[in-house]
Amino acid sequence: MLDSKPTLETLLNHRSVRKYTGEPISDEMLTAILEAGRAVSTSSYLQAVSVVRVRDKAKRTAFRQISNNLSEDKYNNLIAQGKRLGHGYVEDCAEYLVFCMDAYRHHALADVNTDWTEVMLIGAIDSALMAQNMLATAESLGLGGVYIGSLRNDIQRAGELLALPKHVVPLFGLCLGHPDWDSKINQSQRPRLPLDVIVSTDTYQTPSDDVLSAYNDEVKAYYGGRGLELDWRAQIAETFGGDVRPFMLDYLQSQGFAKR
Ligand SMILES: Cc1cc2nc3c(=O)[nH]c(=O)nc-3n(C[C@H](O)[C@H](O)[C@H](O)COP(=O)(O)O)c2cc1C
């Protein structure tokens, strides 16, 4: 049996790990991680999730291009100019897993309707739960990882790279590897909203402006410590302030999801 850290210690120590030593993950560890994902709870016993392990180097590069939101040509040009681009961890991590919500098997076995929005929610929830079982297991084994939602920058291309059939949609990736703890990028934990903001009893409690403002200041101080001029408000505005991947509904519908 592999040595692992206790659950609570593992979960409370979480931080995304974006720099790795390059050491591979042993077969024993990888199997333990995947089995822990397989054992997760699943809505109505539907098991509406599949995982694609991306080992091919060219595909890893393509996934990095997608995360950088760049076409292959633009990406190659910038690399040739020696420009520093983000998301190198998609290429460098020991394992890159893509989590897909999956209604393919249900169609193969039965005459079913999976174009309801509810089915999409089931698939997305099943995928997230399985992935988090895997990440928590990896962290308990001394590994680290980071989710990659930016594969949805070009979800169509992501699906094509993995040859996904209809009724299967790539939702996010997960990089895993041995953490390089000397790297600053892995060292700090991002401050979370206070417990009494995220948890209320019996009825939903709206947070006061003061509490939100205090948290915003805490995040600002956290980023300041990393030499960045950023706060939570700015980060929210950057993500939700404009169009948010507006092509998503078309893609989901083309794959047979969320038509009604
Ligand atoms: C579904 C999901 C998608 C994410 N996508 C990305 C991503 O594309 N790139 C990245 O660097 N981090 C990504 N992250 C990591 C988050 O930025 C990170 O979890 C968050 O900032 C909190 O930091 P922490 O995990 O270190 O506590 C993602 C996280 C989640 C849960």
Side-chain angles (χ1 to χ4, degrees), residues 14-18 67 87 89 145-152 171-173 188-192 222-223 235 245:
H14 166 76
R15 80 253 356 239
S16 290
V17 163
R18 295 183 173 85
S67 281
H87 279 98
Y89 32 97
V146 60
Y147 289 111
I148 305 295
S150 47
L151 67 69
R152 298 193 303 275
L171 293 178
F172 54 85
S188 58
Q189 282 190 291
R190 288 192 185 193
R192 293 300 201 264
Y222 161 78
Y223 279 126
Q235 196 157 5
R245 297 187 181 128

Side-chain angles (χ1 to χ4, degrees), residues 31-258:
T31 302
I33 292 164
L34 299 177
E35 287 290 0
R38 194 161 74 103
V40 75
S41 293
T42 163
S43 310
S44 305
Y45 197 25
L46 284 165
Q47 308 180 74
V49 43
S50 289
V51 180
V52 182
R53 183 182 174 205
V54 183
R55 303 198 70 198
D56 181 85
K57 248 188 136 349
K59 286 192 187 188
R60 287 280 197 101
T61 304
F63 272 106
R64 182 183 176 189
Q65 289 161 2
I66 294 173
S67 281
N68 288 144
N69 220 355
L70 293 169
S71 67
E72 196 175 344
D73 281 354
K74 260 203 170 142
Y75 172 91
N76 288 338
N77 262 335
L78 291 169
I79 290 281
Q81 289 168 39
K83 288 269 185 329
R84 287 183 48 167
L85 302 174
H87 279 98
Y89 32 97
V90 170
E91 286 185 279
D92 302 340
C93 60
E95 295 289 338
Y96 186 60
L97 306 175
V98 177
F99 289 81
C100 307
M101 64 178 173
D102 187 344
Y104 183 89
R105 295 179 285 256
H106 310 97
H107 282 272
L109 279 172
D111 187 14
V112 289
N113 303 310
T114 59
D115 55 356
W116 298 98
T117 300
E118 169 65 7
V119 177
M120 187 193 72
L121 290 175
I122 287 172
I125 294 168
D126 272 10
S127 301
L129 294 177
M130 179 179 281
Q132 184 52 28
N133 255 25
M134 291 194 194
L135 178 57
T137 302
E139 290 176 347
S140 79
L141 296 172
L143 303 171
V146 60
Y147 289 111
I148 305 295
S150 47
L151 67 69
R152 298 193 303 275
N153 286 341
D154 192 343
I155 193 165
Q156 171 108 29
R157 190 169 164 217
E160 285 164 7
L161 282 167
L162 304 178
L164 300 184
K166 193 163 176 185
H167 306 301
V168 185
V169 164
L171 293 178
F172 54 85
L174 176 61
C175 298
L176 293 173
H178 289 269
D180 174 356
W181 290 124
D182 291 336
S183 169
K184 265 212 159 86
I185 198 176
N186 291 337
Q187 285 172 5
S188 58
Q189 282 190 291
R190 288 192 185 193
R192 293 300 201 264
L193 286 162
L195 211 49
D196 57 0
V197 170
I198 55 174
V199 182
S200 42
T201 303
D202 293 330
T203 51
Y204 180 87
Q205 188 135 15
T206 51
S208 71
D209 289 350
D210 285 353
V211 167
L212 288 181
S213 191
Y215 177 68
N216 192 55
D217 290 345
E218 193 184 338
V219 174
K220 193 174 179 173
Y222 161 78
Y223 279 126
R226 291 176 46 184
L228 297 168
E229 215 180 292
L230 191 60
D231 60 18
W232 202 48
R233 185 180 282 114
Q235 196 157 5
I236 291 168
E238 196 182 297
T239 311
F240 286 161
D243 294 349
V244 186
R245 297 187 181 128
F247 47 81
M248 201 57 71
L249 186 59
D250 280 351
Y251 179 74
L252 288 170
Q253 291 181 341
S254 74
Q255 288 298 89
F257 287 95

